[in-house]
């Protein structure tokens, strides 16, 4: 019984393959490493800019340590780490269940 409601086995298999590829693409787009890394890079740059423009009064409050500059640098490094991790170790595409691999 290869025909079922007007769809052949080949049509169903093509549709499943297409949906699996769309799912893998969506998983890569919404990978948490990309989101976390991007946010840390953006916020790190913003906080570093605040550190570069720090007034003498704010430096006196922190006993001469430019907290914004160092925190921003740390956030930037962490964000770049997440993005490098994403680039060096991308998500593997999901494997087919064993029953589908056996039928191929």
């Amino acid at each position: 019984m290869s025909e079922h409601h007007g769809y052949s086995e080949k049509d169903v298999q093509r549709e499943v393959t297409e949906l699996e590829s769309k799912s893998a693409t969506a998983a890569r787009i919404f990978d948490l490493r990309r989101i976390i890394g991007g946010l840390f890079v953006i916020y790190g740059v913003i906080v570093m800019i605040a550190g570069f423009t720090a007034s003498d009064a704010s430096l006196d409050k922190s006993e001469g340590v430019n907290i914004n500059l160092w925190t921003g640098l740390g956030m930037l490094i962490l964000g770049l780490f997440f993005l490098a991790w994403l680039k060096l170790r991308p998500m593997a595409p999901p494997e087919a269940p064993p029953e589908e691999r056996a039928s191929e």
Side-chain angles (χ1 to χ4, degrees), residues 15-48:
E15 187 71 25
V16 167
T17 304
E18 192 175 303
L19 287 173
E20 284 176 344
S21 71
K22 286 180 182 178
S23 175
T25 301
R28 280 192 300 275
I29 289 172
F30 295 108
D31 188 350
L32 285 179
R33 296 175 293 181
R34 180 182 315 256
I35 296 168
I36 292 171
L39 285 174
F40 267 100
V41 166
I42 291 169
Y43 290 143
V45 169
I46 291 170
V47 173
M48 280 183 66

Side-chain angles (χ1 to χ4, degrees), residues 39-65:
L39 285 174
F40 267 100
V41 166
I42 291 169
Y43 290 143
V45 169
I46 291 170
V47 173
M48 280 183 66
I49 290 171
F52 287 133
T53 60
S55 66
D56 290 335
S58 67
L59 289 175
D60 289 341
K61 285 182 192 177
S62 60
E63 298 181 10
V65 177

Side-chain angles (χ1 to χ4, degrees), residues 5 7 31 36 41 52 56 72 75 80 86 89-90 94 98 102:
H5 298 285
Y7 294 107
D31 188 350
I36 292 171
V41 166
F52 287 133
D56 290 335
M75 292 173 75
L80 291 174
L86 176 70
R89 302 283 286 187

